[in-house]
Amino acid sequence: MPSPKIAFVGTGANGAGIAADLTRAGLDVTFIEQWPAHVAAMRENGITVKMPDRTENTKVSAFNLYEVAELREPFDIVFIVVKAYDTRWACELIKPLVKPTGLVVGLQNGMSLDDIADIMGPERTLGAVIEMASNMWEPGVVNRENAPDTAWFAIGGIHPAAQARAHEAAEALGHAGTVEVSDDIRSSKWGKLIVNAAELVPSAILDLELAKAVQVPGMYEFMLKCGSEAARTAVASGSKLRPIFGMTDAALDDPDAFAEQLLDQVLRRFSSPTTRTTSLQDWIKGRRNEVHEINGLVVDEQAKIGGTAPANAVIVDLARRIEAGELERGPANIDLLLGARV
């Protein structure tokens, strides 16, 4: 069987690092990126991925967004690795270049699989869970804190036709880490959202690396409240608690204990002293982060069933104030978090 033709729409820190792994494995991979300086750097020097134990440079095929209209050969597999709030336009952009039998994989935070399915069709849509730590501060250079041997992914479809072919995308993604095919990808994605609600934006509000944020008195407990609310929301909305990250002892009948296990897994396995969450990286770069797609989703889903998620609501409000320029991010915000009625 010929090697699939693959595209990555979004080649920032995670997208570029994963796409580089697939390229080095000999797959036909196209990088599609919205940062012009990054595209120029990749064209001139390739993509450089710095890992704790080694640095790898890979020559790649990179295109700007505006050049997508000039491409003609369709893709078999497209990985969408943009921010969750950019999903819909990214799918519309690449849709003319996806083969009728092609698969589109949302390798993202949040519940973006529904947006992808709405545009591409559920029979071509795969959702994914990603667990790796990366950052990018200069074009053409990825700082990856965990190499492929410790990266973890889950992948699966929300339609039987897509689920039957999940192994095709999993085989390609397997060059970047351990891949598990989930038979309930929505529940698996909720698992990641639970821990994201606990750690991503909360630590960004304090403007601290994740490992430092959890050392602030009272912060770990507040993070657990966010995660527990998300776990209870997942169950109340019809999803199941599913073990991710290869967990073997998950407390699947106890949302609060499950949320704590997930957070502890991330802190132990995927967080170094220098790890800044993607949400903090977004703010440092002057971009908005995915608070509405993570903590906001918990709040919104609770509202649909007549409930509340007060800890997550506080996060959404403080993030809104920070992005509006009404509040500075920083450690002093711990008083606003702990002083809130949650």
Side-chain angles (χ1 to χ4, degrees):
M1 183 176 179
S3 176
K5 185 171 177 60
I6 298 171
F8 276 73
V9 181
T11 54
N14 282 339
I18 296 168
D21 290 335
L22 273 58
T23 301
R24 285 193 301 275
L27 301 184
D28 182 353
V29 181
T30 297
F31 289 51
I32 297 171
E33 173 56 37
Q34 59 183 312
W35 185 12
H38 185 32
V39 174
M42 289 191 290
R43 286 176 169 174
E44 183 174 356
N45 303 311
I47 184 70
T48 297
V49 181
K50 297 180 178 180
M51 291 175 274
D53 62 342
R54 64 187 185 276
T55 295
E56 295 174 330
N57 179 268
T58 307
K59 296 300 180 184
V60 301
S61 177
F63 294 86
N64 290 287
L65 290 182
Y66 67 84
E67 295 175 305
V68 171
E70 302 170 11
L71 300 177
R72 292 293 179 266
E73 190 174 352
F75 297 103
D76 297 287
I77 303 173
V78 174
F79 290 96
I80 304 293
V81 206
V82 297
K83 294 296 179 182
Y85 51 70
D86 286 332
T87 300
R88 297 190 70 88
W89 68 253
C91 288
E92 293 286 8
L93 174 76
I94 203 65
K95 184 176 181 179
L97 287 168
V98 181
K99 289 182 179 180
T101 57
L103 296 170
V104 180
V105 185
L107 199 56
Q108 305 162 282
N109 291 322
M111 288 296 175
S112 59
L113 69 158
D114 291 318
D115 287 328
I116 298 173
D118 187 44
I119 294 168
M120 307 305 306
E123 72 282 355
R124 295 200 290 175
T125 299
L126 293 170
V129 180
I130 175 173
E131 190 53 50
M132 55 187 286
S134 303
N135 60 73
M136 177 180 288
W137 304 107
E138 60 180 301
V141 180
V142 173
N143 302 297
R144 184 168 171 176
E145 298 185 23
N146 56 323
D149 59 339
T150 57
W152 185 92
F153 308 91
I155 197 165
I158 56 174
H159 186 282
Q163 181 66 16
R165 299 180 58 204
H167 67 279
E168 298 175 28
E171 182 177 354
L173 192 58
H175 296 290
T178 299
V179 183
E180 175 183 307
V181 175
S182 171
D183 60 3
D184 184 355
I185 192 60
R186 190 179 301 278
S187 292
S188 294
K189 285 185 71 64
W190 260 111
K192 182 63 190 300
L193 194 143
I194 289 165
V195 72
N196 281 349
E199 50 128 353
L200 293 188
V201 186
S203 62
I205 287 172
L206 299 189
D207 197 30
L208 291 174
E209 294 84 355
L210 180 57
K212 292 181 180 178
V214 298
Q215 297 301 317
V216 175
M219 187 58 178
Y220 178 78
E221 291 75 16
F222 183 86
M223 287 179 166
L224 284 182
K225 289 180 182 178
C226 292
S228 293
E229 289 179 0
R232 288 187 234 117
T233 302
V235 174
S237 65
S239 289
K240 299 177 181 178
L241 299 181
R242 294 290 302 270
I244 58 175
F245 313 148
M247 295 166 61
T248 58
D249 59 347
L252 303 183
D253 58 347
D254 185 337
D256 295 337
F258 182 69
E260 184 172 6
Q261 287 178 322
L262 286 176
L263 180 58
D264 289 346
Q265 283 271 337
V266 167
L267 293 174
R268 183 172 68 253
R269 295 174 54 186
F270 303 105
S271 174
S272 75
T274 61
T275 298
R276 292 167 168 159
T277 67
T278 57
S279 296
L280 180 53
Q281 292 179 46
D282 288 335
W283 278 348
I284 291 172
K285 295 174 182 178
R287 303 179 60 183
R288 61 190 175 97
N289 66 32
E290 296 170 300
V291 64
H292 295 292
E293 289 73 24
I294 300 173
N295 304 87
L297 185 142
V298 176
V299 174
D300 292 344
E301 289 298 313
Q302 272 292 340
K304 290 178 183 178
I305 58 176
T308 61
N312 283 278
V314 169
I315 294 299
V316 173
D317 179 62
L318 293 183
R320 178 198 61 78
R321 292 170 59 187
I322 289 171
E323 293 188 348
E326 301 169 2
L327 178 70
E328 292 291 327
R329 64 181 190 268
N333 290 332
I334 187 64
D335 293 333
L336 297 176
L337 294 176
L338 301 186
R341 299 184 66 180
V342 298

